[in-house]
């Protein structure tokens, strides 16, 4: 018999373990990979963006209109201010960039993870790596381990198995069919925060690697002023990632405003009264577009004459023909997972008393910019706190 079991060693699992330990439970944490927090460490390689320091209303709005009330409660209990305080309590000073994004001064995830694990170990956490969860019967859990099959029977369990992106780091979604087979509703995984596949013509080769700045992207009801990188595969970067919810659908359209700081009327005023100038000169000399924007224009107009009176409007809404989102394993995160209909407001499975779920394995979505990590922390904390207070009948 095990007291409290946490399955998954990412941010949500570690936060659940911390809450359980704080609640006086003896905690065993198991992780399928050879080390803890692999995706967390990868996320910090280019600067660990922990959260975004902004008013709670706009912060919450970034998770989309369909955010479940339980997720709202999690984020209200552990939002940007709490993330900052928690990080600094681990001895990692922080700073907010000009956009409000919060980073540790060390910028990397490794110092924070080491300090976190040291605190958890001091509180008595027992942890095992290379333990892959296989299945369960009631509250009896089966694992494949280097020593063979192991079985644990915990009083309470928190699952924090991740989504279905970055399989090499542990988030492979292999748990989902087992949950579904046990009658738990799981929404299909979909890529999020991922690049767009574009089948470029040969003339775009010279632009690969170039940033596309000072543009505005539109897809469905979503708008993004972020920049993107023109890559061999298509378009990458924050400007595109935030549009993933609108671009998942079949035939989803994407347009780019090449002159977002000017209205259609202002663009029209800058154009000559007639089309005597060649298009190349208009774009380069009159409108001062950089080469990468001109390349985009040429790629998606393909030399088709644009009526002069429609030119300004097309510059403000150039259609980007694409082949959909890049594969799920290239995504930073995924939508889909355990449906909130299968959970109560403590994140406990309704049909599995004493079993809780947290992190990216839940069916929610968020853009990059600290929102993903904050939600993982917040759901792990809520699940861990309620698991700590749960007594199996």
């Amino acid at each position: 018999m095990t007291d409290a079991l946490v399955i998954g060693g990412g941010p949500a699992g570690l936060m659940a373990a911390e809450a359980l330990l704080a609640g006086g439970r003896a905690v065993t944490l198991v992780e399928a990979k050879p080390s803890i927090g692999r995706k967390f460490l990868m996320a910090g390689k280019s600067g660990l963006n922990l959260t975004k320091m902004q008013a709670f209303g706009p912060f919450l709005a970034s998770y989309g209109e369909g955010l479940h009330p339980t997720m709202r409660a999690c984020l209200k209990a552990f939002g940007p201010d709490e993330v900052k305080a928690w990080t600094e309590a681990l001895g990692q000073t922080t700073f907010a960039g000009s956009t409000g994004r919060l980073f540790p001064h060390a910028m990397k995830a490794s110092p924070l993870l080491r300090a976190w694990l040291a605190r958890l170990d001091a509180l008595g956490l027992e942890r095992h790596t290379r333990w892959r969860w296989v299945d369960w019967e009631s509250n009896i859990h089966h694992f494949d381990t280097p020593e063979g099959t192991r079985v644990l029977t915990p009083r309470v369990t928190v699952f924090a198995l991740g989504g279905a992106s970055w399989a090499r780091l542990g988030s492979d979604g292999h748990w989902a069919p087992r949950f579904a087979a046990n009658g738990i509703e799981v929404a299909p995984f979909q890529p999020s925060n991922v690049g767009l596949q574009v089948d470029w013509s040969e003339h775009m080769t010279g632009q690969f690697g170039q940033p596309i700045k000072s543009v505005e992207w539109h897809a469905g009801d979503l708008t993004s002023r972020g920049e993107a990188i023109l890559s061999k595969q298509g378009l990458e970067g924050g400007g595109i990632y935030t549009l993933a919810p609108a671009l998942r659908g079949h035939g989803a359209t994407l347009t780019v405003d090449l002159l977002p700081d000017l209205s259609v009327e202002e663009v029209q005023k800058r154009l000559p009264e007639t089309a005597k100038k060649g298009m190349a000169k208009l774009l380069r000399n009159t409108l001062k577009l950089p080469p990468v924007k001109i390349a985009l224009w040429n790629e998606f107009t393909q030399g088709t004459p644009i009526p002069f009176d429609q030119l300004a409007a097309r510059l403000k809404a150039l259609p980007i023909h694409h082949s959909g989102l890049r594969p799920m394993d290239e995504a930073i995160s995924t939508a889909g997972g355990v449906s909130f209909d299968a959970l109560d407001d403590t994140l406990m499975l309704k049909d599995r008393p004493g079993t809780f779920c947290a992190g990216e394995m839940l069916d929610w979505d968020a853009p990059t910019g600290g929102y993903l990590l904050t939600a993982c922390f917040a759901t792990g904390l809520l699940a861990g706190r309620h698991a700590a207070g749960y007594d199996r009948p």
Side-chain angles (χ1 to χ4, degrees), residues 175-251:
W175 55 267
R178 301 311 312 150
F179 270 56
N182 279 274
I184 297 166
E185 183 180 350
V186 179
F189 288 115
Q190 300 181 81
S192 189
N193 296 297
V194 67
L196 197 65
Q197 177 71 43
V198 181
D199 300 319
W200 303 114
S201 63
E202 188 177 345
H203 93 273
M204 294 295 286
T205 303
Q207 300 298 326
F208 293 163
Q210 291 298 310
I212 307 167
K213 301 180 179 182
S214 300
V215 292
E216 186 169 273
W217 309 92
H218 297 267
D221 295 331
L222 299 181
T223 298
S224 170
R225 282 294 295 259
E227 70 176 63
I229 302 295
L230 198 153
S231 73
K232 182 179 180 180
Q233 290 76 26
L235 294 167
E236 309 281 346
I240 296 297
Y241 295 163
T242 58
L243 302 178
L247 292 171
R248 291 188 196 116
H250 179 70

Side-chain angles (χ1 to χ4, degrees), residues 107-167:
M107 291 301 285
K108 299 178 181 179
S110 50
L112 177 60
L113 181 60
R114 283 196 299 270
W116 196 3
L117 289 175
R119 181 162 75 183
L120 295 176
D121 290 343
L123 291 170
L125 178 65
E126 177 185 340
R127 47 190 169 106
H128 302 279
T129 55
R130 295 187 173 91
W131 280 43
R132 175 173 284 275
W133 181 80
V134 177
D135 206 347
W136 77 56
E137 304 163 26
S138 184
N139 65 321
I140 304 170
H141 295 269
H142 300 261
F143 298 89
D144 282 337
T145 80
E147 293 78 33
T149 301
R150 296 295 300 272
V151 177
L152 295 180
T153 307
R155 292 183 174 87
V156 293
T157 301
V158 178
F159 279 106
L161 291 169
S165 64
W166 292 15

Side-chain angles (χ1 to χ4, degrees), residues 19 67 69 76 83 143 175 182 214 291 338 348 369 371:
L67 189 67
K76 186 174 182 180
V83 172
F143 298 89
W175 55 267
N182 279 274
S214 300
V338 176
M348 184 172 71
Y371 302 105

